[in-house]
Amino acid sequence: MIVDTSRPYDFIVTGASGKIGRHLVPLLARNGRTLLAVGRNSDTLRRLFANQTGSVAVADYGDLKRLPGCDTLIHLAVRNNDAPGTLADFSAVNVDFASQIAREFSRMNGRRFLNISSILALDDFEESPYAVSKAIGKRAIHDIIGDRLDNVHIGYFHDRGYFGERLAFLSRFGPAVGGMIFALLKMLKPATSAQSLVDYALGEPHSLPPPGILTDDLSRSRAYRAISRSMDLGVGLGILLLFLPVFAVIWIAIRLDSPGPAIFAQQRVGAAQIPFTLYKFRTMKRDTVAAGTHEVSSSAVTRIGAFLRRTKLDELPQAINLLRGNMTLVGPRPCLYSQTELMQAREALGVYALKPGITGYAQIREIDMSRPIALARSDHRYKKLRSLLLDLRIIVATALGRGGGDRITASDQV
């Protein structure tokens, strides 16, 4: 259908001929909304969407100047990370062209600018032209339209029967077998379905907590849960068997260093806020106040305790928690029930859907319990980005010494 420049549209989709637009537009069209698909070549769009259920109008970018208004603009036009080019090449599309579209959106007095980015743009260590240009483009769009910008980061894009460009060969196995293989591969990296993106576009803006991550829920994967549990059991048994002599030496050293038990047992907040007993080697003097580590004076740490904390050997007894199933290798650090600010922030962000972990995403980013809001947000980010590869990356980073645990307060500050 030819674009009607006399009326506003419910949805305008830029970059509609791309891999995401080709799947998103038909799904949106089935919801009875007025929809305009926009791209560089309107003839190409007309061929793509000629047989769609619902009414899809098509236009090129020049037609945007003649439109009176729109409700939601979904911005998919992008120079993707798999394209060659310099930062200037990427900025021409992801910054300059995106700003041009934002100005047209502002002129049309649109309600919501849904800007789609890859989760690569969230990676702290990603310095590719794509990631840099998308970050700059986000700020540029916000400068033009303010809080009407709804920025969403997605993972590997897929649809029913469509497994993405890189895994297109799975279609040869048919939807059933191909889908099973894809479900296994999804454990390696975060993915996002076309339907979930449509559902978000049809819903309320800004309903995703910052920084706006929309990915498939990996906790629904039985294979992921089984692999994670197998790793927990394997590591837990391995620690108890291989480090048994080390346990004995540490036990004796703690008892000789200060009065009190060698094992420290404390109630912590577990998954679904269910309490569990956390086990560690004792690193502080007996009868130290039960509070967050950052709230305890450094003078409470024993001589052997300082060594254990520095080397992380104090956490070896958490192998018991792994075997019991109330902790996992990678997850949010378990807190005390007295840490109400952290608990409330985690509850609001759905973090308690996860088991607490021995190490975690926040730890390797040097975020501890002295910053409860930042910690809860980092835990939420892990929840949305978790995968087997991310878990492995966190484990390796921890083994190499990143993440020193919760800081203690200097004696003269207590």
Side-chain angles (χ1 to χ4, degrees):
M1 186 172 72
I2 299 174
V3 58
D4 184 351
T5 57
S6 66
R7 64 167 183 172
Y9 283 87
D10 293 328
F11 285 95
I12 295 176
V13 181
T14 64
S17 61
K19 62 182 180 181
I20 297 178
R22 292 197 304 267
H23 295 266
L24 205 64
V25 168
L27 290 175
L28 282 170
R30 295 171 190 170
N31 286 275
R33 311 296 178 89
T34 56
L35 178 63
L36 178 65
V38 185
R40 297 192 182 279
N41 191 316
S42 57
D43 290 335
T44 300
L45 293 171
R46 195 170 290 107
R47 287 194 297 271
L48 280 173
F49 305 124
N51 299 320
Q52 298 305 325
T53 301
S55 178
V56 178
V58 300
D60 59 38
Y61 290 112
D63 292 322
L64 288 180
K65 299 179 183 297
R66 300 187 291 125
L67 293 177
C70 77
D71 181 83
T72 298
L73 188 148
I74 304 176
H75 186 55
L76 300 175
V78 65
R79 189 180 184 96
N80 272 316
N81 58 295
D82 54 358
T86 65
L87 179 58
D89 296 325
F90 278 82
S91 295
V93 177
N94 299 343
V95 181
D96 300 338
F97 184 67
S99 298
Q100 177 184 330
I101 298 297
R103 283 189 288 269
E104 291 298 334
F105 171 84
S106 182
R107 179 192 58 77
M108 289 186 284
N109 197 28
R111 181 180 65 96
R112 181 187 190 188
F113 190 107
L114 190 54
N115 186 44
I116 309 300
S117 298
S118 166
I119 57 173
L120 285 174
L122 293 172
D123 194 324
D124 297 333
F125 308 102
E126 181 65 41
E127 297 181 352
S128 66
Y130 168 81
V132 173
S133 63
K134 287 296 285 186
I136 297 172
K138 175 185 174 182
R139 292 194 294 269
I141 296 171
H142 187 269
D143 287 343
I144 296 169
I145 63 173
D147 291 339
R148 288 179 291 172
L149 171 62
D150 191 359
N151 208 66
V152 176
H153 300 85
I154 66 172
Y156 186 84
F157 182 79
H158 64 97
D159 195 5
R160 184 175 298 179
Y162 171 75
F163 306 115
E165 304 286 334
R166 297 176 185 176
L167 300 176
F169 67 92
L170 293 179
S171 300
R172 303 173 188 170
F173 300 99
V177 176
M180 290 174 59
I181 298 173
F182 182 71
L184 295 175
L185 293 176
K186 277 205 306 180
M187 294 187 297
L188 299 177
K189 285 189 175 183
T192 303
S193 71
Q195 187 59 56
S196 66
L197 190 53
V198 168
D199 291 342
Y200 183 72
L202 292 171
E204 290 299 314
H206 304 293
S207 58
L208 293 173
I213 304 173
L214 184 66
T215 53
D216 297 344
D217 186 0
L218 198 57
S219 64
R220 297 180 180 179
S221 170
R222 294 182 180 178
Y224 176 80
R225 295 199 304 269
I227 292 174
S228 295
R229 184 61 184 144
S230 297
M231 290 173 60
D232 292 344
L233 291 172
V235 171
L237 287 172
I239 289 174
L240 292 179
L241 294 175
L242 296 177
F243 287 86
L244 190 58
V246 178
F247 271 73
V249 171
I250 294 175
W251 184 291
I252 295 171
I254 293 174
R255 296 301 302 271
L256 292 176
D257 184 53
S258 64
I263 295 293
F264 173 76
Q266 187 179 59
Q267 190 178 83
R268 296 288 181 97
V269 184
Q273 301 188 46
I274 297 173
F276 75 100
T277 301
L278 174 76
Y279 298 100
K280 298 177 72 172
F281 281 121
R282 181 173 59 85
T283 62
M284 296 186 183
K285 296 174 183 177
R286 186 173 57 185
D287 300 327
T288 298
V289 62
T293 304
H294 64 285
E295 300 172 310
V296 178
S297 168
S298 60
S299 62
V301 180
T302 64
R303 287 175 298 174
I304 187 65
F307 168 76
L308 294 176
R309 293 174 65 84
R310 186 169 61 252
T311 58
K312 302 177 185 175
L313 290 172
D314 63 316
E315 298 188 1
L316 286 177
Q318 289 177 40
I320 300 171
N321 294 113
L322 289 179
L323 296 178
R324 285 187 168 186
N326 43 41
M327 287 187 73
T328 186
L329 278 173
V330 180
R333 289 296 290 159
C335 67
L336 297 164
Y337 281 92
S338 60
Q339 294 173 289
T340 54
E341 186 178 9
L342 176 58
M343 283 193 64
Q344 290 170 0
R346 281 178 164 175
E347 183 178 13
L349 294 172
V351 172
Y352 287 115
L354 306 177
K355 285 184 183 181
I358 290 179
T359 187
Y361 185 65
Q363 268 187 283
I364 67 167
R365 300 172 72 215
E366 304 293 342
I367 302 173
D368 67 6
M369 291 186 179
S370 65
R371 301 161 57 194
I373 303 302
L375 178 58
R377 288 175 176 171
S378 184
D379 294 336
H380 171 263
R381 182 180 292 202
Y382 168 71
K383 177 175 178 282
K384 304 299 289 186
L385 297 179
R386 66 176 173 157
S387 66
L388 290 178
L389 290 181
L390 178 59
D391 288 347
L392 181 60
R393 174 178 160 186
I394 292 171
I395 291 169
V396 170
T398 304
L400 294 177
R402 287 184 59 185
D406 295 321
R407 298 170 180 83
I408 54 177
T409 302
S411 300
D412 60 357
Q413 294 179 327
V414 176

